[in-house]
Amino acid sequence: MITIEEIPAERINEFWTIHIKYLVEDLSIDEEDQAYFSGEAYRGHIHKLMLRDPDKLHMIYFRREGVRIGAAQYCTYQSEDGKCFILDFWVFPEYRGNGTGHACFQALSAYAEADGAVYYALNCSKENSRRFWLSNGFADDGTDEYGEKLMVKRHAESHSL
């Protein structure tokens, strides 16, 4: 069983080391992007989003049998239509496979829905990530204002969104 560990804003620094490693190793970001994601402008903005109310940004670890196996960042827009936008989602490399990512998304969705999430959206630029999200019920949904591909997952009862 996968459980969620919320990362409080006052403990965010321990997350940043893991996050930059993920960005470099999994997403292959360049030095300019590394500087941006390591910089105070980005990190300060994320910290502010973690403290706002409503529409707080959540940073979480996925845990299985007490061990951290992955992490995610998401924001549920409770003041709007209940969209849960997933900024980051990853399973640490040594725990990938055997449906772990699917189990982590199920845990995330149950956790977010208990806090008001109605449907899910995310950006997706890598084809293997796109296949993963398609297998979790997401569909392509155009592009955002920056030209990044969007995906969405709506529940059967929320077709009007």
Side-chain angles (χ1 to χ4, degrees):
M1 178 176 162
I2 306 296
T3 58
I4 302 292
E5 175 190 355
E6 187 93 27
I7 304 168
E10 57 273 4
R11 283 193 15 235
I12 193 60
N13 285 336
E14 70 184 54
F15 174 81
W16 291 128
T17 301
I18 299 166
H19 185 250
I20 200 70
K21 183 178 179 193
Y22 154 72
L23 292 173
V24 170
E25 292 178 3
D26 278 15
L27 300 182
S28 302
I29 63 171
D30 61 24
E31 287 184 26
E32 182 179 339
D33 286 338
Q34 285 180 48
Y36 171 73
F37 287 112
S38 297
E40 185 52 38
Y42 171 76
R43 291 179 177 188
H45 180 69
I46 293 295
H47 187 259
K48 286 179 189 174
L49 295 177
M50 291 177 76
L51 299 175
R52 75 178 175 189
D53 185 34
D55 306 336
K56 168 186 170 180
L57 178 96
H58 295 266
M59 298 181 84
I60 62 169
Y61 290 117
F62 298 110
R63 295 178 77 95
R64 183 173 51 207
E65 298 175 6
V67 176
R68 290 178 182 162
I69 62 167
Q73 296 181 57
Y74 72 92
C75 180
T76 300
Y77 293 93
Q78 297 167 331
S79 67
E80 298 177 16
D81 60 356
K83 173 173 69 177
C84 177
F85 193 85
I86 301 170
L87 285 83
D88 278 319
F89 177 99
W90 78 97
V91 173
F92 302 152
E94 60 271 27
Y95 301 106
R96 293 179 184 160
N98 301 311
T100 301
H102 289 85
C104 287
F105 178 68
Q106 288 175 337
L108 170 67
S109 28
Y111 191 76
E113 287 169 23
D115 194 39
V118 175
Y119 70 104
Y120 302 89
L122 53 84
N123 291 106
C124 188
S125 58
K126 293 174 68 177
E127 186 55 33
N128 60 338
S129 296
R130 182 177 172 272
R131 285 191 306 271
F132 170 78
W133 291 112
L134 287 170
S135 72
N136 275 287
F138 282 73
D140 293 321
D141 194 41
T143 57
D144 68 11
E145 65 270 23
Y146 305 106
E148 296 289 327
K149 293 178 185 176
L150 286 168
M151 297 186 80
V152 68
K153 178 180 181 169
R154 293 183 169 92
H155 295 292
E157 65 274 7
S158 59
H159 287 294
S160 63
L161 295 176

